[in-house]
């Protein structure tokens, strides 16, 4: 038997593939110390906020929407999702583990794709389950208290429930891109929090004529249209807004890919 025939199986087993890189990144995310607590906070926020609001509300408040109010925990969940997404990347830069990672995967880009895909998959599964559970619990509470409730069969409600999970999933991809682009935990978290919390507030301080044209296209505003039952007249249509949000995430991730190829580890 030739030396070549003996070595080939080993070489094949050790060949770097996208699937193997994805599996490696899944293990990293699963074993990251901050993962459990951050995701527990996100899930807890989704499961607690809506039912609590449903328990105390009389349904008479201005703009009461049983579907949207039951998913109000996204306000806190999005912060956890954004922060952890940044840490998925910057944590390796902080510890120096990024060097052996990129040495093992010289082409580099599979690492970025794997981080984004693995984290997005985790968020999609958890937030879909959490959104659906929060909705069902909240509607049961509202119904038991004779407060107006709704159901998944009501037009637009299914979009709102699963749209909340989709919004958080794309935010996860965006946050990974920001982390890879900036490579610094503080800068990355500040940027994500700025995009999610500060930009909408700043936009509303602009003159009305300008704000009406800027506000609908902000990342978080555009992404959230999918999870709003009735859009205001100046908002983008649900799937149009969500597409704009996806484009933001794609552009940031593409910028991170270019930077990852050009910069030293």
């Amino acid at each position: 038997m030739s030396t070549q025939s003996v070595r080939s199986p080993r070489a094949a087993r050790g060949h770097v593939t996208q699937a193997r890189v994805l599996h490696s990144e899944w293990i990293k995310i699963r074993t990251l110390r901050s993962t459990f607590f951050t995701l527990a906070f996100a899930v807890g926020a989704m499961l607690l906020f809506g039912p609590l609001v449903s328990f105390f509300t009389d349904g008479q408040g201005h703009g009461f929407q049983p579907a949207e109010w039951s998913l109000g925990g996204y306000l806190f969940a999005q912060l956890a999702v954004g922060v952890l997404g940044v840490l998925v990347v910057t944590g390796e830069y902080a510890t120096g583990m990024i060097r052996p990672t990129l040495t093992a995967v010289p082409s580099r880009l599979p690492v970025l794709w794997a981080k984004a895909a693995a984290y997005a998959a985790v968020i999609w599964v958890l937030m879909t389950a959490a959104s659906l559970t929060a909705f069902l619990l909240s509607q049961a509470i509202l119904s038991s208290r004779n407060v107006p409730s709704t159901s998944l069969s009501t037009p637009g409600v299914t979009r709102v429930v699963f749209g909340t999970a989709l919004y958080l999933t794309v935010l996860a991809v965006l946050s990974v891109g920001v982390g890879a682009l900036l490579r610094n935990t503080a800068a990355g978290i500040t940027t994500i929090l700025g995009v999610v919390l500060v930009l909408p507030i700043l936009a509303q301080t602009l003159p009305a004529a300008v704000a009406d044209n800027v506000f609908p296209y902000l990342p978080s505003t555009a992404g959230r249209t999918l999870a709003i039952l009735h859009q205001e007249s100046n908002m983008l249509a649900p799937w149009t807004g969500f597409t704009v949000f996806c484009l933001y995430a794609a552009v940031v991730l593409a910028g991170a890919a270019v930077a990852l190829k050009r910069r030293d580890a």
Side-chain angles (χ1 to χ4, degrees):
M1 185 180 292
S2 67
T3 303
Q4 180 67 28
S5 63
V6 172
R7 288 180 178 174
S8 292
R10 280 183 194 171
R13 286 196 298 270
H15 183 61
V16 176
T17 66
Q18 185 67 67
R20 286 176 175 171
V21 177
L22 183 61
H23 182 255
S24 173
E25 293 304 324
W26 157 242
I27 292 174
K28 290 178 186 177
I29 291 175
R30 189 179 63 192
T31 56
L32 192 66
R33 285 183 299 176
S34 56
T35 298
F36 175 79
F37 297 104
T38 309
L39 292 182
F41 175 84
V43 172
M46 291 296 297
L47 295 180
L48 292 175
F49 188 86
L52 278 175
V53 170
S54 300
F55 183 79
F56 288 106
T57 187
D58 59 6
Q60 302 301 315
H62 175 69
F64 174 72
Q65 292 286 351
E68 293 173 27
W69 284 39
S70 68
L71 300 167
Y74 91 89
L75 289 166
F76 305 101
Q78 66 181 349
L79 304 182
V81 169
V83 168
L84 184 58
V86 170
L87 287 172
V88 163
V89 180
T90 60
E92 282 200 65
Y93 279 98
T95 60
M97 285 300 296
I98 193 66
R99 293 185 181 87
T101 295
L102 297 182
T103 299
V105 189
S107 57
R108 294 190 173 195
L109 293 187
V111 174
L112 179 61
W113 308 145
K115 285 183 182 296
Y119 184 54
V122 170
I123 295 303
W124 179 76
V125 170
L126 289 178
M127 293 299 103
T128 297
S131 296
L132 182 59
T133 303
F135 172 79
L136 295 176
L137 283 174
S138 297
Q139 301 317 307
I141 292 171
L142 290 172
S143 180
S144 69
R145 300 181 59 243
N146 295 317
V147 176
S149 60
T150 188
S151 68
L152 291 173
S153 61
T154 303
V157 169
T158 299
R159 167 176 58 79
V160 169
V161 173
F162 293 103
T164 298
L166 287 175
Y167 163 71
L168 293 170
T169 300
V170 177
L171 178 63
V173 175
L174 177 64
S175 62
V176 169
V178 168
L181 192 60
L182 300 181
R183 301 193 301 179
N184 179 276
T185 299
I189 291 175
T190 299
T191 299
I192 283 295
L193 295 185
V195 167
V196 170
L197 298 178
V198 180
L199 278 182
I201 296 174
L202 290 179
Q204 292 178 338
T205 65
L206 298 172
V210 178
D212 287 345
N213 291 307
V214 172
F215 187 75
Y217 292 93
L218 296 178
S220 59
T221 307
R224 280 286 301 157
T225 56
L226 200 61
I228 297 175
L229 192 58
H230 302 293
Q231 276 73 32
E232 296 180 10
S233 58
N234 66 331
M235 300 295 289
L236 299 176
W239 289 105
T240 301
F242 184 68
T243 300
V244 170
F245 188 45
C246 289
L247 288 174
Y248 275 115
V251 168
V252 171
L253 200 62
V258 172
L260 184 63
K261 290 289 287 185
R262 292 184 176 181
R263 295 186 302 206
D264 293 334

